Amino acid sequence: MGEFKLTTVEEFEAATNRLLETGAKVGADAYQFRVKNQTPHCKFGEQGVCCRICMMGPCRITPKAPRGICGCDAHGIVGRNFLRFTAGGAATHSDHGREICHTLYCTAPDGNYKVKDPEKLIRIAHEWGVETEGKDIYDLAHEMAVLALGEYGKVFGFQNFLKRAPKHTQEIWEREEIQPRAIDREVSCSLHMTHMGCSSKPEALIRQSLRAGLSDGWGGSMAGTEFSDVLFGTPKPIDTEANLGVMVEENVNIVVHGHDPSLSEMICEYADDPEMIAYAKEMGAKGITVSGVCCTSNEVAMRRGIPMAGNFLQQENVILTGACEAIVVDVQCIFPAIGPLAKCFHTKFVTTSAIAQMPESDYIRFSPENAGENAKAIVKMAIENFKNRKPELVHIPQMKQKATVGYSFEAIVKTLDTVTNSQVDVTGTTKPLIECVKSGVIRGAVAMVGCNNPKVRPDTAHIALMKKLIENDIIIVASGCSAQAAAKAGLMDKRARDICGAGLKRVCQLADIPPVLHMGSCVDISRMMVLVAELSKDSGWNISELPVVGCAPEWMSEKAVSIGNYVVATGIDTFLGVDPYASGSSEVEGLLQGGIRDWVEACYTVETDIDKLVDKMIDRIEEKRVALGI
C-alpha cells in the first residue's frame, strides 16, 4: 500500500481548468463564467432589505427610504425574507420525504420496490403505537405509509417523530410554542405570515422559522431518511471511491444526480443487469459505470458503494469529461445549464420528475409504478449513446480517493461499541462515544453539512475546517456536499487517521473508522438529530450541553436555512461561513446570533473568515467541556 496523501484543492482546480479547456473547444458555458457576469451581487438582496411580496413595490430600504410603501421597516422585511427562505427549504426536503412515503405504499413482494429492512419498519411502527404482531410485512408497510403521509396534513396534535427528542428538548419546544404540527401546515403558515399585511415583528417571524425548520428535520426529512432505510436498506460501512477519476473511459458512463434515491436505486439495478452489460459490450464498451453527483450520489454510495464523481459544483464537470453518456436527474440542486451544456457534447440529459422539468432535456416521467420499465429504458438509451462520443473531447482527470461511507446512526452505535471498556455493558448505546468524550480522548464532535457556494472557494472551507478539527481530536460527522468534499480529499480514507490528534487517532484505530464519518445526504442530517438525542439520553446531559456544534461553511440553498433552523432549535450551536441575508436588520441578526439562545439554548455564529470560524467552533466545544466539568 502506497503512502497516504490528501488531494488538495489546488489539484481539484487544476483538473477543473483542464476540463474548461475542453469546454472552450465547443463553446460550452460553465458556472465559473456565469459568476463573473453576476458579480458584484445586489447589496439590497445580500442584506435582505428588498421586498417584492406585493405589487405596490418592489421596495428596498435605504437611509432615505427607511420604510416600504406599507410601512414595514428593515427588521420586518428581513424577518419575512428569512422565514420565506426557511419555508422553501422545509417544503423541498419534506416533499422529498412525501415521495419516499408514497414509494413505501407502492411496495410489493413482486414489485419494483420491496421492504429491505423489515426490522426498522417494525421499530418505527412500535414507536408510533402500531400493532405489528401477525401482520404481513407489506400490509404493515402500506399501513405505515398512510400514517406517514398523514403527518403532512394531520388535523390535530404534533408530529410523531418529536417523541424521539429528550424530555428537556420537548419541554423547550412546548414552552416556546415551536412544536411543529402538520408538516404542510408549517409551510403554509409561514407563507401566510409573510403575506402582505400579516406579521412584521421579527420575534414572531424567527419563532415560526424555527418551527418550520423543525417540521423538516423532525418531520419531512426524518420520514425521508427512515423510510428510505426501510425501502433500500439501512446503511452500514462500505468502501467506495470519490472524484472524477471514478468515471471509466472504456465504459458507458451514467451519472445520477439530485436527491431522491427511488430513481437512482432503479438505475443501479438495471446497470447491473447482465442483459444490459452484454448490450453495452455489443455497442463497443467494456461495461457500465454508474457514478453520482450531489445527494443522490450519497444515497447510492452508502447503500451500494457506487462511486461519487463529485458534489454540487462538479455537476458540469462530469459532462465536460466528454465521457458521460447520460446524466439522469431527479429533484433539487440541478443546474438548468446542464441542458445547453449537454448539447455541446454527446451527453443525454434526462429529467424524470414533474417538479424538476428543464429545457433541452429528454423528459421521462418516473414513478414507483413504472420505475423498472423506465430505468431500463434510460440505461438502454445511455448504452446506445456510447457510439456518439467524440474521442477528441474525452478527458477524465485521473484523480480519485478511497472512502468508507455509510455511517447511519445504527452503524455508528455498532461500530463505536468496539472502543469501549469491555467490562462495561454498553452494547447498542452511544455510551462508548460519551466515555471517549469524558476522558478527553475525543474533545467533541462537529456536524459538518451543506452545499458548495461560489462565494467561497469551492471545498476549501470544508477541507480546511475538517483538517484542523481532527488535528484537535474533534470527530466529524458529515453529510451532503460537505461529505463529498471530505471523500474527494481523502478524509474518509481510514488512513486519514494519521493526520489526527493522538486521541482521535487512537479511537479511529480501535474502531477501524475514518476521522470523518459519512452520514449520508442532506435529508440525513435527521440522523444527526437522532444521534444527539440518544447521546443526551445516555449521558444525562441536555443536547445543548453536549460538546457538539453544527457547521455549514459553504451553504447556498433554502434547504440549508431550514436545516440550520432545526439544528439550532434542537439545541446545537451552528456556525455559518456564508451570511444568511440578515445583515440589514440589527434586530434579526441579534436574534439569530444571540437572542434565540434564550428560547432554545443555542444560536448561530456567522463568520466568513474560515480560520476564525474553526477557532470559534473549537472554543465553543471547549467551553461546553468546562461547563460539564470534563
Side-chain angles (χ1 to χ4, degrees):
M1 186 178 291
E3 182 182 353
F4 174 70
K5 177 182 176 295
L6 292 178
T7 304
T8 66
V9 171
E10 287 75 16
E11 289 172 306
F12 295 167
E13 291 171 339
T16 296
N17 290 337
R18 171 63 181 81
L19 293 173
L20 292 174
E21 290 175 13
T22 301
K25 295 177 183 178
V26 293
D29 191 17
Y31 86 83
Q32 290 89 344
F33 310 127
R34 297 191 295 273
V35 165
K36 291 179 181 178
N37 295 335
Q38 287 294 333
T39 51
H41 298 292
C42 169
K43 295 301 178 185
F44 296 101
E46 287 188 325
Q47 293 172 7
V49 293
C50 58
C51 180
R52 52 179 298 278
I53 61 172
C54 82
M55 292 303 292
M56 293 190 293
C59 298
R60 58 189 189 185
I61 301 302
T62 67
K64 181 181 176 181
R67 292 182 180 272
I69 291 169
C70 72
C72 192
D73 62 13
H75 310 301
I77 290 172
V78 171
R80 289 193 304 207
N81 287 338
F82 187 82
L83 176 52
R84 284 208 159 203
F85 225 69
T86 304
T92 302
H93 265 166
S94 295
D95 212 37
H96 171 165
R98 189 196 324 260
E99 286 302 315
I100 295 296
C101 295
H102 175 237
T103 302
L104 181 66
Y105 186 77
C106 295
T107 54
D110 57 351
N112 290 311
Y113 297 100
K114 300 175 176 61
V115 173
K116 290 191 176 178
D117 191 342
E119 291 81 10
K120 187 158 196 175
L121 177 63
I122 291 167
R123 288 203 308 273
I124 298 170
H126 289 165
E127 275 188 63
W128 288 12
V130 174
E131 180 58 54
T132 63
E133 189 68 31
K135 285 183 182 174
D136 175 82
I137 198 65
Y138 286 93
D139 290 340
L140 180 61
H142 302 156
E143 181 179 356
M144 290 299 295
V146 171
L147 286 174
L149 289 166
E151 289 289 282
Y152 286 82
K154 69 194 305 178
V155 181
F156 299 111
F158 302 97
Q159 292 168 205
N160 281 337
F161 279 132
L162 300 184
K163 298 170 187 174
R164 290 183 164 185
K167 184 172 182 289
H168 176 75
T169 305
Q170 293 186 52
E171 288 171 348
I172 288 174
W173 294 339
E174 182 178 6
R175 183 192 72 212
E176 299 301 330
E177 297 185 358
I178 57 173
Q179 291 168 294
R181 299 156 294 184
I183 298 165
D184 288 348
R185 182 175 182 181
E186 299 309 344
V187 173
S188 179
C189 180
S190 299
L191 294 178
H192 187 181
M193 284 182 71
T194 56
H195 189 277
M196 189 272 156
C198 280
S199 292
S200 57
K201 186 176 181 179
E203 292 88 342
L205 294 162
I206 300 306
R207 196 176 294 277
Q208 178 61 21
S209 297
L210 298 177
R211 194 177 203 176
L214 287 169
S215 76
D216 169 8
W218 293 83
S221 276
M222 199 165 282
T225 293
E226 296 293 81
F227 294 117
S228 287
D229 287 354
V230 171
L231 283 163
F232 310 122
T234 300
K236 54 187 177 182
I238 188 170
D239 292 334
T240 188
E241 294 178 316
N243 218 335
L244 290 168
V246 303
M247 298 175 72
V248 180
E249 186 170 345
E250 297 82 9
N251 287 359
V252 172
N253 283 290
I254 302 172
V255 176
V256 291
H257 172 23
H259 288 76
D260 186 342
S262 303
L263 165 67
S264 51
E265 282 283 333
M266 294 305 297
I267 296 293
C268 292
E269 282 287 331
Y270 281 92
D272 282 342
D273 186 335
E275 178 188 342
M276 291 292 100
I277 294 171
Y279 190 45
K281 291 177 179 178
E282 184 182 327
M283 291 292 109
K286 289 187 176 180
I288 302 172
T289 295
V290 178
S291 59
V293 168
C294 224
C295 279
T296 284
S297 176
N298 285 313
E299 296 277 5
V300 291
M302 65 184 176
R303 293 191 176 93
R304 292 176 172 266
I306 296 295
M308 299 183 283
N311 47 8
F312 173 64
L313 287 180
Q314 284 183 288
Q315 61 185 277
E316 292 172 308
N317 287 12
V318 297
I319 299 172
L320 288 167
T321 64
C324 176
E325 273 60 63
I327 181 166
V328 187
V329 306
D330 45 77
V331 293
Q332 303 171 25
C333 298
I334 300 150
F335 280 175
I338 289 180
L341 178 61
K343 298 293 184 185
C344 295
F345 293 84
H346 76 298
T347 306
K348 295 286 187 181
F349 174 37
V350 183
T351 52
T352 60
S353 172
I355 62 171
Q357 299 183 56
M358 297 186 185
E360 300 188 69
S361 69
D362 292 296
Y363 178 49
I364 299 177
R365 178 73 174 267
F366 201 86
S367 71
E369 293 81 3
N370 67 20
E373 174 188 347
N374 282 354
K376 185 174 182 178
I378 290 168
V379 172
K380 188 175 181 182
M381 175 195 295
I383 292 170
E384 292 171 348
N385 196 30
F386 181 77
K387 63 180 181 293
N388 296 320
R389 271 196 199 175
K390 299 173 183 176
E392 69 276 13
L393 297 179
V394 174
H395 171 73
I396 300 173
Q398 295 307 298
M399 180 184 295
K400 61 184 178 180
Q401 287 277 12
K402 294 180 179 179
T404 302
V405 300
Y407 288 94
S408 59
F409 167 72
E410 292 86 347
I412 287 176
V413 167
K414 184 175 180 180
T415 300
L416 290 177
D417 276 346
T418 62
V419 299
T420 189
N421 184 333
S422 60
Q423 295 178 345
V424 181
D425 181 15
V426 293
T427 302
T429 75
T430 62
K431 288 182 180 178
L433 182 55
I434 294 164
E435 292 305 313
C436 289
V437 171
K438 284 182 176 180
S439 68
V441 176
I442 292 177
R443 306 301 295 174
V446 170
M448 190 83 71
V449 304
C451 333
N452 301 123
N453 189 328
K455 289 183 174 181
V456 180
R457 186 181 176 192
D459 292 329
T460 51
H462 292 138
I463 295 167
L465 292 174
M466 289 178 183
K467 286 170 65 177
K468 186 161 184 178
L469 290 167
I470 64 176
E471 287 168 4
N472 283 272
D473 292 321
I474 296 171
I475 196 167
I476 297 165
V477 290
S479 69
C481 289
S482 178
Q484 290 167 322
K488 290 188 301 175
L491 289 165
M492 288 182 175
D493 189 317
K494 293 175 182 177
R495 294 174 294 173
R497 63 193 177 205
D498 291 340
I499 63 173
C500 297
L504 180 56
K505 180 178 180 179
R506 180 64 175 153
V507 171
C508 290
Q509 288 172 329
L510 289 171
D512 192 30
I513 57 173
V516 180
L517 300 179
H518 181 284
M519 267 195 122
S521 64
C522 52
V523 297
D524 292 331
I525 297 168
S526 59
R527 296 190 198 278
M528 299 176 184
M529 300 304 98
V530 174
L531 177 59
V532 294
E534 293 306 308
L535 284 167
S536 173
K537 294 172 188 175
D538 289 341
S539 67
W541 301 327
N542 297 332
I543 289 177
S544 59
E545 295 175 319
L546 295 169
V548 174
V549 301
C551 181
E554 301 183 23
W555 71 275
M556 63 86 199
S557 76
E558 292 174 316
K559 294 180 297 178
V561 177
S562 178
I563 291 165
N565 283 334
Y566 74 69
V567 172
V568 168
T570 300
I572 304 169
D573 289 301
T574 299
F575 292 74
L576 305 179
V578 177
D579 194 297
Y581 296 164
S583 61
S585 166
S586 58
E587 291 184 19
V588 172
E589 263 200 333
L591 284 169
L592 295 177
Q593 299 188 46
I596 58 174
R597 188 181 297 282
D598 294 335
W599 304 350
V600 294
E601 299 181 351
C603 69
Y604 288 100
T605 296
V606 179
E607 178 54 73
T608 57
D609 184 314
I610 298 305
D611 291 331
K612 292 180 181 177
L613 184 67
V614 68
D615 288 340
K616 287 180 178 180
M617 285 194 286
I618 294 171
D619 289 346
R620 183 65 182 132
I621 286 171
E622 292 302 328
E623 285 175 8
K624 287 172 175 274
R625 291 183 63 86
V626 169
L628 289 169
I630 56 171

